[in-house]
Amino acid sequence: ASPEVYAEMLDRAKAGAFAYPAINCTSSQTINAAIRGFAEMLLASDLSAQDSRNYLEIILRHSERLSRLVEDLLELSRLESGKVTLEPEELDVAELAAKLCRELEPRLRERGMSVRIHAEGAPRALADARAVYQILQNLLDNALKYSDPDRAIDVRIRAQGELVRVDVADQGFGI
């Protein structure tokens, strides 16, 4: 893709990003309340070792989510300030999606879910690998969070003109 195409994509991302901090702040408050609530239960109760471990695992998961939200906000801030330097390289998007799915495997297994990757013609993109990875991670995280258990998530990757199109479809209730 040409530099003009990248500039247009960046402008679109910026235009749609203004509501993102408000959504993330609300999410971070919800996560923080969960962490605080489970920590208070641990401190105020004489729980069994197993119950304590379960609560600690919940606290850890929510803490990891909060860290991801903070990182997303920092990345958005860098994007808006123009401090993001994209480093385009030839990229196998299907391979990157497969790598991410391997990393998500424990969460997928926990919910009885699977991801099916459909790469039509194995298109390669000229893109920043870190940015594409983050976009795919956000899409798959949302699909994982909002889909019913024991369902499949479909990732379709195909060439569309000089661009590569990625669709993530889940069985969730939609937004």
Side-chain angles (χ1 to χ4, degrees):
S2 67
E4 293 81 21
V5 170
Y6 280 117
E8 181 181 337
M9 291 169 61
L10 187 60
D11 287 343
R12 286 182 185 174
K14 285 181 181 179
F18 293 111
Y20 191 67
I23 292 167
N24 268 341
C25 287
T26 301
S27 296
S28 68
Q29 290 170 337
T30 303
I31 293 168
N32 191 43
I35 291 171
R36 181 185 308 254
F38 282 105
E40 287 172 354
M41 280 193 282
L42 280 170
L43 290 171
S45 303
D46 188 22
L47 299 170
S48 70
Q50 184 59 46
D51 285 342
S52 293
R53 181 173 180 73
N54 290 342
Y55 288 163
L56 288 170
E57 287 173 355
I58 292 168
I59 289 170
L60 179 61
R61 276 197 311 272
H62 283 290
S63 173
E64 290 167 347
R65 257 183 82 204
L66 188 57
S67 292
R68 285 193 303 270
L69 285 173
V70 169
E71 183 56 39
D72 287 349
L73 287 171
L74 290 172
E75 186 68 23
L76 180 60
S77 175
R78 287 189 289 268
L79 176 68
E80 289 179 340
S81 70
K83 292 182 181 176
V84 172
T85 304
L86 296 176
E87 298 176 13
E89 62 184 89
E90 190 170 312
L91 177 65
D92 183 334
V93 180
E95 183 180 303
L96 189 62
K99 175 185 175 194
L100 179 57
C101 289
R102 285 190 299 275
E103 292 172 11
L104 291 173
E105 184 60 36
R107 290 178 55 208
L108 289 163
R109 194 174 33 249
E110 182 180 291
R111 300 211 54 220
M113 298 176 75
S114 63
V115 177
R116 298 179 296 219
I117 298 174
H118 312 275
E120 299 169 16
R124 298 184 69 79
L126 181 61
D128 183 283
R130 188 178 55 85
V132 173
Y133 181 89
Q134 186 174 6
I135 292 166
L136 285 173
Q137 184 177 37
N138 288 342
L139 291 171
L140 287 169
D141 274 344
N142 284 339
L144 188 56
K145 269 191 275 191
Y146 299 113
S147 289
D148 293 328
D150 303 316
R151 300 292 183 127
I153 299 168
D154 288 299
V155 178
R156 294 196 190 314
I157 304 162
R158 65 182 182 278
Q160 186 171 2
E162 55 177 61
L163 302 176
V164 173
R165 180 181 176 124
V166 178
D167 295 300
V168 176
D170 61 56
Q171 307 299 315
F173 51 84
I175 54 171

